[in-house]
Amino acid sequence: MSGIIGRKMATKGILNMNQLLLGSRVFASRTFSSSAKEMTVRDALNSALDEEMSADPKVFVMGEEVGEYQGAYKITKGLLDKYGPDRVLDTPITEAGFTGIGVGAAYHGLKPVIEFMTFNFSMQAIDHIINSAAKSNYMSAGQISVPIVFRGPNGAAAGVGAQHSQCYAAWFAACPGLKVLAPYSSEDARGLLKAAIRDPDPVVFLENELLYGESFPVSAEALDSSFSLPIGKAKIEREGKDVTITAFSKMVGYALQAAEILAKEGISAEVINLRSIRPLDRPTINASVRKTNRLVTLEEGFPQHGVGAEICASVVEESFEYLDAPVERISGADVPMPYAANLERMAVPQVEDIVRAAKRACYRAEKSVPMAAAA
């Protein structure tokens, strides 16, 4: 890794890579109009990258099609023109290779942002993410810091089959040394990506492809270039008193839709947007459960060893005596994602699944009709 970086430096005739990056630095505007009311998740991520690259010449972006093509999902649009090919690096289709180079660059004090076209492909680079990035600070007794961000779309998209549709939140969240973030709204995306880039530790940043084009209201505070969100802090998206629903990424929107339906039936649901999967905001979750006395966990990932399972364990350990009903856990089906649209829908949670689970937790589930009576 360091050999490749060293050859790059030698080719440029520059003593260190920091100077290389400073030489190609182009300052970008870091302010937004105060009249802006909404922003897409795509633009939120793009603006966060732009501002952090402008503020810190050590930040650079690397991945497949991030430069000339402007990004597979246009998250890196315009960055190549502003910062040049030394800071926006197109790579071959070799996740293991460019991830290793990124980790080596972080060892040297730079701040790489590594884009995976989908997190399913991050499996090609899992050794560098886990054994090189996540463990180095501990194994070096704090002497090696690895300020790197691994980002890209995670979870189910639409009609792309099993090898492009898995949620890896639980995988990465199981590993000490990593921080794992999963934004929902534009404000989440903007504030959390800025925090991830500024963080001294490796961060896995799990986006959702289907949210890129979604628009969300953005506060004036969030449009400031200094804005960031704290890692490890959940957000209560909707307050309620009857049942707590935890969710992250795209599922937060589903939970909010379910809460609207439940409200019409007299059930007040509190929706928690986790934002951070590791560290997990256990105090906020437990405080909510102690108020509502019921819990529904929601995620796209597989049920076994999932994020919801960890939340259930936390609540049972810390707030068991407050529970008035069994915990309800909603997840994706325990199968690889089907390709057929009808089967795909059955394999991921739907709004109606959340409504039914919340009703069961509140002992408001519809009574089943005996077959004989139905006939």
Side-chain angles (χ1 to χ4, degrees), residues 22-361:
L22 280 166
S24 65
R25 183 177 184 183
V26 178
F27 288 88
S29 172
R30 301 202 296 131
T31 58
F32 291 83
S33 169
S34 60
S35 63
K37 299 295 182 183
E38 288 203 347
M39 179 182 283
T40 65
V41 170
R42 176 180 290 107
D43 288 341
L45 293 167
N46 177 265
S47 66
L49 281 169
D50 187 0
E51 291 172 14
E52 293 307 302
M53 291 180 74
S54 175
D56 189 344
K58 294 180 180 180
V59 179
F60 71 95
V61 177
M62 182 163 53
E64 297 153 0
E65 299 184 346
V66 298
E68 295 289 346
Y69 191 68
Q70 309 285 312
Y73 300 95
K74 301 300 179 272
I75 305 302
T76 54
K77 184 177 181 180
L79 299 184
L80 177 62
D81 291 339
K82 287 186 177 183
Y83 302 104
D86 290 325
R87 294 186 64 192
V88 183
L89 288 80
D90 279 320
T91 68
I93 304 174
T94 170
E95 284 78 11
F98 65 74
T99 303
I101 293 171
V103 173
Y107 284 175
H108 280 259
L110 303 181
K111 297 181 178 180
V113 179
I114 305 299
E115 176 178 310
F116 295 118
M117 201 174 290
T118 161
F119 257 94
N120 294 265
F121 301 160
S122 73
M123 294 298 99
Q124 298 289 330
I126 197 70
D127 180 56
H128 293 301
I129 298 171
I130 304 299
N131 283 325
S132 299
K135 298 176 182 177
S136 290
N137 185 264
Y138 174 82
M139 293 180 69
S140 68
Q143 296 179 80
I144 299 176
S145 181
V146 192
I148 188 170
V149 177
F150 306 101
R151 55 153 296 271
N154 171 71
V160 292
Q163 293 176 332
H164 299 74
S165 299
Q166 190 169 329
C167 176
Y168 287 92
W171 279 55
F172 290 115
C175 182
L178 290 178
K179 294 175 182 176
V180 182
L181 306 179
Y184 162 60
S185 66
S186 299
E187 203 158 297
D188 286 355
R190 186 169 154 78
L192 290 174
L193 184 54
K194 282 173 162 287
I197 293 171
R198 297 171 190 176
D199 199 273
D201 297 315
V203 179
V204 173
F205 197 86
L206 304 173
E207 302 152 12
N208 188 285
E209 177 183 337
L210 299 180
L211 287 176
Y212 284 147
E214 292 289 319
S215 293
F216 294 87
V218 178
S219 66
E221 177 192 7
L223 294 178
D224 190 274
S225 60
S226 64
F227 175 73
S228 70
L229 289 170
I231 293 175
K233 182 63 180 174
K235 178 187 178 185
I236 297 178
E237 293 282 350
R238 178 184 177 122
E239 293 193 357
K241 59 183 179 62
D242 294 328
V243 59
T244 296
I245 304 174
T246 64
F248 60 93
S249 191
K250 186 171 180 286
M251 290 293 104
V252 176
Y254 282 30
L256 291 170
Q257 291 179 51
E260 287 287 342
I261 296 170
L262 291 165
K264 294 175 183 177
E265 301 190 32
I267 297 174
S268 174
E270 181 150 293
V271 177
I272 297 178
N273 173 7
L274 296 175
R275 284 179 167 172
S276 179
I277 310 302
R278 184 184 184 108
L280 188 64
D281 189 354
R282 300 172 195 272
T284 293
I285 296 168
N286 278 279
S288 178
V289 170
R290 292 183 182 201
K291 177 176 68 171
T292 66
N293 310 117
R294 296 171 176 84
L295 173 65
V296 175
T297 70
L298 173 62
E299 65 187 308
E300 277 187 330
F302 301 134
Q304 187 158 324
H305 310 303
V307 176
E310 180 64 26
I311 292 171
C312 291
S314 175
V315 168
V316 167
E317 289 166 358
E318 300 180 38
S319 305
F320 178 75
E321 66 273 24
Y322 290 87
L323 288 171
D324 287 343
V327 173
E328 295 282 345
R329 191 154 57 102
I330 305 172
S331 69
D334 198 20
V335 296
M337 182 64 69
Y339 175 75
N342 59 331
L343 297 179
E344 181 182 63
R345 189 180 189 280
M346 294 173 65
V348 294
Q350 302 297 323
V351 173
E352 55 265 30
D353 300 324
I354 308 165
V355 172
R356 284 195 293 267
K359 284 184 175 181
R360 285 195 299 270

